[in-house]
Amino acid sequence: MRTFDFAPLYRSTVGFDRLFSLLDQPETSAAWPPYDIEKVSEDAYRITMAVAGFAQDEIELTQHDTTLLVSGQRKGEERERQFLHRGIAGRTFRQTFNLAQHVRVTGASLNNGLLTVELKREMPEALKPRRIAIGGTQATAGQDNAPSQNAPTRVEDRSEAA
C-alpha cells in the first residue's frame, strides 16, 4: 500500500495535475497479456505484447488523445476439443496505455505471436524551446521578435518614405 502524499508537489508545480493523478491511481493493469515497453531512441518507443493464438484481424489498436487501447477477441468459435492441459490463454483482453503528450503510434506488426507497436514523440514547432532576445534589435536565429524595418508605423513616417 502506498502512503505518498502529493499535496506539497501540487503547490509547487504548474500543469502536472494529470501526472500526479496518474501516480495516485491504484495499479489496476491486467497481468495478461504480458508486455514489454522499451525506449528505442530519444523520441521513439516500442511496446511488445505476447498475444499467442490471435490473428491480425482479431486484435484492435485505438489511440484517442493520450490513451492507447489494445484489445483482442477471438472471432472463430473453437470446435469441440478436449484439452488435457490448457496453457495457452486465448481469452479476450483489453490493455490500456497512457501516453505522454505528442506521442503517436507510427506502426504496428504481428509476428510469431508478438504484437509490436511503434511509438514516436513528435513535438510541434510551436512548443519547442526558443531563445528570445532581450532589448536587442537583432533577431536570434529562427525567430523574429523585432518590428518590421520596411513597414512604416506612423502617418508621418509614410510621408517621409515617399
Side-chain angles (χ1 to χ4, degrees):
M1 182 171 154
R2 289 185 286 186
T3 58
F4 298 116
D5 181 21
F6 292 112
L9 295 174
Y10 283 117
R11 290 191 300 264
S12 62
T13 59
V14 176
F16 290 93
D17 305 342
R18 184 172 179 271
L19 173 67
F20 293 130
S21 65
L22 287 174
L23 290 173
D24 227 3
Q25 289 177 353
E27 184 67 28
T28 59
S29 65
W32 196 85
Y35 62 89
D36 293 335
I37 301 175
E38 61 183 298
K39 186 172 185 175
V40 179
S41 68
E42 186 64 31
D43 290 325
Y45 305 89
R46 179 180 298 134
I47 299 172
T48 305
M49 298 180 74
V51 292
F54 283 86
Q56 187 170 339
D57 63 337
E58 296 173 330
I59 299 173
E60 183 177 319
L61 292 167
T62 307
Q63 181 178 0
H64 179 69
D65 196 25
T66 60
T67 302
L68 173 64
L69 172 65
V70 182
S71 59
Q73 183 172 4
R74 293 266 176 110
K75 290 186 178 178
E77 289 293 321
E78 286 191 28
R79 61 176 190 243
E80 293 297 320
R81 299 190 307 187
Q82 182 179 8
F83 290 96
L84 298 178
H85 171 75
R86 184 149 190 176
I88 300 173
R91 62 185 178 267
T92 300
F93 68 89
R94 287 177 57 96
Q95 183 67 51
T96 303
F97 297 94
N98 292 309
L99 306 177
Q101 291 288 327
H102 312 295
V103 173
R104 69 177 188 91
V105 176
T106 59
S109 64
L110 181 62
N111 191 13
N112 296 328
L114 294 175
L115 173 67
T116 304
V117 181
E118 302 291 337
L119 305 163
K120 184 169 176 89
R121 179 178 27 204
E122 296 176 341
M123 188 67 66
E125 282 296 320
L127 296 178
K128 288 184 180 176
R130 60 185 181 111
R131 187 166 179 227
I132 300 170
I134 300 173
T137 57
Q138 188 175 21
T140 309
Q143 164 189 327
D144 188 11
N145 287 342
S148 174
Q149 299 293 340
N150 297 337
T153 57
R154 296 186 310 221
V155 176
E156 297 85 36
D157 291 340
R158 288 188 193 130
S159 62
E160 293 173 3

